[in-house]
Amino acid sequence: MVKLSVIVPFYNVQAYAPDTLRSLRANTREDFEFILVDDCSTDGTAELLRRAQDDIEGVVVRRHERNAGLATARNTGLDAARGEYIAFLDGDDWLAPGHYAALLARTEALGCAFVRTDHVQVTGTARTVRRVPHGPRGVVSDPRGAILPADRTTSVDYAFAWAGLYHRGLLDRGLLHFTDGLRTAEDRPWIWRLHREAESFAVLGTLSHFYRRGVASSLTQIGDERQLDFIRAYDQVIADTAADRDAAILMPKAVRTYCAVISHHIGSVEKFEPAVARTLKSLGAAALRGMPRRVLDDVLDSMDTERATVLRRLRRRPATTEGATAA
C-alpha cells in the first residue's frame, strides 16, 4: 500500500531540478511514491526526470504532450496518485532530509483532514521564515472558522498548496483538484474550497520546506497575459463564496482579498507588456463592477486612501470589449 503520493510538476527548471531531485532522494521510503509531471519542458528537464526514474526509489514520470500550466500538471499527478496522503512540491523547491516522514507522523497523530506548514523562503542567498497566519501550532481546528476575520491576513491568504499534507479522503471528495488551465493564482480558489468544505485542519511549525523565489522562468517574473489568470481565479472565489451557506459572512473577506490583489497588480502595471496592461485594467474594472456593490463599498471605505482611490478610479473605467476577448 502506498502511504504518501508526492506530486511534483516541472517546466523548464533544468538549473534547479537537481536540487529538488536530490531532496526527494533524501525523503524516500518504501511506501512513498513521487509523481514527477513534466509539463512539456523544452530544456534538459525531461532527461533529468528520466534518469530520476531509474535512480530514485518510488519515482513515476508523467509527461504532457503540450504545456498546460501548473494547475493541470498537478491534476495529472492527482489522477495518478495512489497514496493515503497527498503532498505537493514545485520543481524548483527542495526539502530537508526526512521532511515527509516527520510530517506524515505528526499528521497521523493529529488525525485531521489536512495540515498546513510554515516554510523557508529562499531569495538568492537570503533565507526568510514564513509562517502560516493562524493561531497555535499542533492544534486541530475548524478550517471554515480560519477564513475570517475579513480585515486580517488569515490561512486562506497563505495559499501555497505545497505547504501541507492532505488526506486522500479530500481527493475522493473532489476537493484537491485545481481549476484546469490556470497558470497563476491556481491555489486561491483551491485553498478557499478546502477551508469551506474540509472538516478539520492543523498548522505545524516545520521549517524543512525551502521555497525558491525570484526564478527567472516563474510567472511572477514574466509580464505576459498568463499572469492575468489571477482574475479568473478570484472570480471563481467570488462565485463560490456567493453560493456558500455563509455567503453574507464570508463575502467581505473574499472581496477585500480580491481588491488587494487587483490593487497590487495595478500598482506594478509597468511590468506588463503594454497590451497586457490595458487588458489588466479592463478586466480589473469588470471584476470590481461584478462584485456585490454594498460589500465592495464597505471594503473600499475600510482600505487605506491610496489603494481605495486607485480601485474607485478603476471601477469607473468605461467598459470595453478588449478585456472580454482576453478572458
Side-chain angles (χ1 to χ4, degrees), residues 23-187:
S23 75
L24 290 180
R25 183 179 288 107
N27 275 271
T28 56
R29 208 171 83 175
E30 62 181 9
D31 54 351
F32 288 0
E33 67 175 2
F34 304 119
I35 304 172
L36 314 184
V37 182
D38 177 19
D39 193 22
C40 199
S41 295
T42 56
D43 61 359
T45 299
E47 175 59 21
L48 291 173
L49 301 190
R50 188 196 64 77
R51 281 187 274 166
Q53 191 164 20
D54 296 332
D55 296 341
I56 303 175
E57 180 183 8
V59 161
V60 177
V61 176
R62 296 285 185 269
R63 177 173 170 81
H64 287 171
E65 294 303 316
R66 62 178 183 84
N67 179 255
L70 180 57
T72 301
R74 285 177 175 163
N75 288 342
T76 295
L78 286 169
D79 291 341
R82 299 176 295 155
E84 182 181 353
Y85 286 87
I86 307 294
F88 300 98
L89 176 66
D90 283 355
D92 50 9
D93 297 343
W94 75 94
L95 312 160
H99 167 80
Y100 285 128
L103 184 56
L104 178 61
R106 295 184 67 184
T107 303
E108 290 191 301
L110 288 167
C112 53
F114 69 99
V115 299
R116 306 288 285 148
T117 66
D118 301 334
H119 70 275
V120 178
Q121 179 177 297
V122 180
T123 307
T125 59
R127 303 288 189 270
T128 307
V129 172
R130 295 287 305 276
R131 302 286 187 186
V132 184
H134 186 69
R137 268 54 183 159
V139 176
V140 177
S141 305
D142 172 23
R144 179 176 284 263
I147 296 173
L148 300 176
D151 61 349
R152 292 180 59 186
T153 301
T154 68
S155 187
V156 292
D157 301 308
Y158 185 90
F160 312 108
W162 40 257
L165 196 66
Y166 313 91
H167 191 275
R168 185 178 188 86
L170 298 171
L171 177 61
D172 295 339
R173 291 169 56 193
L175 300 181
L176 290 187
H177 277 79
F178 297 81
T179 302
D180 263 325
L182 283 181
R183 294 176 179 271
T184 190
E186 73 291 330
D187 294 343

Side-chain angles (χ1 to χ4, degrees), residues 231-253:
I231 295 280
R232 187 154 66 99
Y234 276 100
D235 279 350
Q236 184 179 342
V237 172
I238 295 294
D240 291 348
T241 303
D244 189 87
R245 65 179 185 270
D246 293 323
I249 299 171
L250 300 179
M251 188 60 79
K253 173 66 176 177

